[in-house]
Amino acid sequence: MAHGIRLHVWGERACFTRPEMKAERVSYDVITPSAARGILEAIHWKPAIRWQIERVTVLNPVRFESIRRNEVSVKASADLAARAMAGGARTELVVEDWRAQRVSMILRDVAYVIEARFEMTARAGAEDNPAKHLEMFTRRARKGQCFHQPSFGCREFPAHFRLLEEGEAPSPAAELMGEKDLGFMLHDVDHAHGRTPRFFRAVMRDGVIDTRFPLGGESR
Amino acid sequence: MAQPIQNRYEFTYLFDVAMGNPNGDPDAGNMPRLDYQTNHGLVTDVCLKRKVRNYVDLVRADLGVEDGLNIYVREKGVLNRENEQAYKALGLKPDSKLPKDEAKARELTAWMCANFFDIRAFGAVMTTEVNCGQVRGPVQLTFAKSIEEVHPQEIAITRMAVTNEKDAEKERTIGRKHILRYGLYRCDGFISAHLAERTGFSDDDLALLWKALVNMFDHDRSAARGIMSARKLIVFKHASKLGDAPAPVLFDAIDVKRVTEGPANSFKDYAVAIDRAAIPAGVEPTEIL
């Protein structure tokens, strides 16, 4: 595994929101490659590199919990605002009056192993070489250093992390053994092409999901 | 703009409630929130952030620093009016997309950060139709969890008056209150120096945040809350921006234990120990409270 890293991540709660269920959030069963990339980028990222998630190993049984919170659902009309600025009517948006009580179906007690590698991008300069970035990432992950605390989908659900050293391999819970089709999942958002979301058919075999893209079951 | 903070921080915050409801669950008829797997009580991150905002809003005038300590997400506040101020200050037309001119867009976001304490601390999505972009703030709070199981009680109360004319015959109505006899809660939080750089969250802001956490319950009294108090605030200051120790190692160094038998009635039933030996070099723990 050239430039490969393995990171053990875990936390009490997680919410990897399904894009089709955003108002009342429902999490996917497992972490998306996009969220896994976000965790790695919180530890080390430069424009010179692009993280590719190769495999995710699910360590804990999938458990859900629901939580309802008061959220703000504010959208004011632009022309009202424009009129208000021209000295006309005021737009009144009081938090209590624009309260949405939204429920979220979130995951409990999650733990994963993220296996990833990175490639150099067109923005890599002369001073950027893979060994340097690999070294920076592993040093930070080993020491618990990060750019900002990584999280599982939402910032209120922190992701704790540690670098897995050679020979360390946490194993998935017994009930994750066998093959499970998780359906189409968001793979990542392609920022290079107008933020197109890409999906993939996620299949978990003995706790392991191959997230290399494109896979056979790519959908566009 | 003052210099942004130069160190990473983690913090552990303990607060308790006596004969009250710290955070109602809209899904359970406003009962105190419970983690149904463990019966521990929960207080959401957003509940605590609300109180921080209210406190800062309250003390602004007393501090004599009116500028830069506005609060964006207000109770009885008007979000888009605040956004308009940014546009007005910069002489732009309100628009639902970020200004095409990226420099102008950045200027707008910077103006919002400079003027609003809660945006500097927590960030904000300003992609309302009067758009100021989106910022991630450095301060990250997590759900607070009670140290032990909590047992909500339902208390029925009566009122000697009625609201509607048609109920006049009844002469009285029944209401319900949910309370916990006692619960000690722990919330862990993170502050990123790198994200502070982007919003301009400074040492003064940090001091104000600590002050808010220490004092905010004293200004949040109500019939539902009972007696809530901040009990402990332990801050881990890293020597560097990136940090010098894994967060879980630091949180694990704080142990909150029962020291009495039977149901807990007060903070005296608990002991808080900081295992200083477990805290790696480069991290300095401070008890703010």
Side-chain angles (χ1 to χ4, degrees), chain A residues 12-53:
Chain A
E12 273 190 8
R13 292 181 174 80
C15 183
F16 309 111
T17 311
R18 291 173 178 266
E20 71 274 22
M21 300 190 220
K22 278 215 136 153
E24 302 254 301
R25 295 181 202 94
V26 177
S27 176
Y28 280 119
D29 287 12
V30 298
I31 190 169
T32 60
S34 160
R37 176 177 59 85
I39 289 175
L40 302 184
E41 286 177 355
I43 298 168
H44 174 69
W45 178 79
K46 285 280 185 297
I49 63 171
R50 184 186 305 115
W51 284 106
Q52 307 273 15
I53 311 297

Side-chain angles (χ1 to χ4, degrees), chain B residues 30-74:
Chain B
N30 207 35
M31 274 217 334
R33 289 184 189 275
L34 282 182
D35 176 339
Y36 291 101
Q37 297 187 5
T38 62
N39 280 336
H40 284 236
L42 290 178
V43 171
T44 59
D45 59 314
V46 283
C47 169
L48 296 169
K49 284 178 176 178
R50 172 79 271 149
K51 294 186 201 327
V52 170
R53 287 184 162 110
N54 289 354
Y55 177 83
V56 172
D57 209 19
L58 209 64
V59 299
R60 264 170 59 202
D62 304 346
L63 291 171
V65 219
E66 283 289 325
D67 289 346
L69 292 183
N70 290 302
I71 292 294
Y72 180 70
V73 183
R74 263 217 165 84

Side-chain angles (χ1 to χ4, degrees), chain B residues 127-147:
Chain B
T127 32
T128 49
E129 296 206 16
V130 184
N131 195 328
C132 289
Q134 187 171 355
V135 274
R136 268 193 308 179
V139 181
Q140 206 173 329
L141 290 176
T142 61
F143 282 15
K145 193 170 72 173
S146 66
I147 303 295

Side-chain angles (χ1 to χ4, degrees), chain A residues 54-98:
Chain A
E54 303 223 291
R55 248 187 308 278
V56 167
T57 307
V58 184
L59 301 175
N60 290 357
V62 177
R63 299 267 185 273
F64 282 91
E65 155 183 270
S66 85
I67 183 135
R68 189 179 291 270
R69 288 178 281 184
N70 290 328
E71 299 178 14
V72 175
S73 62
V74 181
K75 271 262 194 261
S77 81
D79 52 320
L80 246 185
R83 257 188 298 154
M85 287 203 53
R90 266 265 166 238
T91 50
E92 287 288 332
L93 280 175
V94 177
V95 175
E96 289 88 336
D97 298 352
W98 295 86

Side-chain angles (χ1 to χ4, degrees), chain B residues 212-232:
Chain B
L213 291 173
V214 170
N215 297 303
M216 66 195 191
F217 291 116
D218 296 329
H219 302 279
D220 189 57
R221 305 284 178 216
S222 78
R225 297 268 174 258
I227 299 173
M228 293 190 71
S229 324
R231 291 294 187 175
K232 267 266 169 264

Side-chain angles (χ1 to χ4, degrees), chain A residues 12 68 75-76 78 85 90-96 108 140 143-149 155-156, chain B residues 8 27 33 35 45 74-78 80-81 88 94 129 136-137 140 145 192 194 242-243:
Chain A
E12 273 190 8
R68 189 179 291 270
K75 271 262 194 261
M85 287 203 53
R90 266 265 166 238
T91 50
E92 287 288 332
L93 280 175
V94 177
V95 175
E96 289 88 336
R108 278 304 303 268
R140 286 184 185 183
K143 285 170 121 177
Q145 296 184 319
C146 54
F147 191 82
H148 61 85
Q149 184 65 33
R155 293 188 73 204
E156 58 270 35
Chain B
R8 179 180 130 189
D27 263 342
R33 289 184 189 275
D35 176 339
D45 59 314
R74 263 217 165 84
E75 289 180 320
K76 294 273 179 278
V78 182
N80 282 350
R81 192 187 288 170
K88 269 206 180 108
E129 296 206 16
R136 268 193 308 179
Q140 206 173 329
K145 193 170 72 173
S192 152
H194 289 97
L242 273 175

Side-chain angles (χ1 to χ4, degrees), chain B residues 7-10 235-240 244 282-286:
Chain B
N7 309 75
R8 179 180 130 189
Y9 295 85
E10 265 87 46
V235 172
F236 296 104
K237 180 178 180 178
H238 296 254
S240 64
D244 297 271
V283 181
E284 178 198 338
T286 316

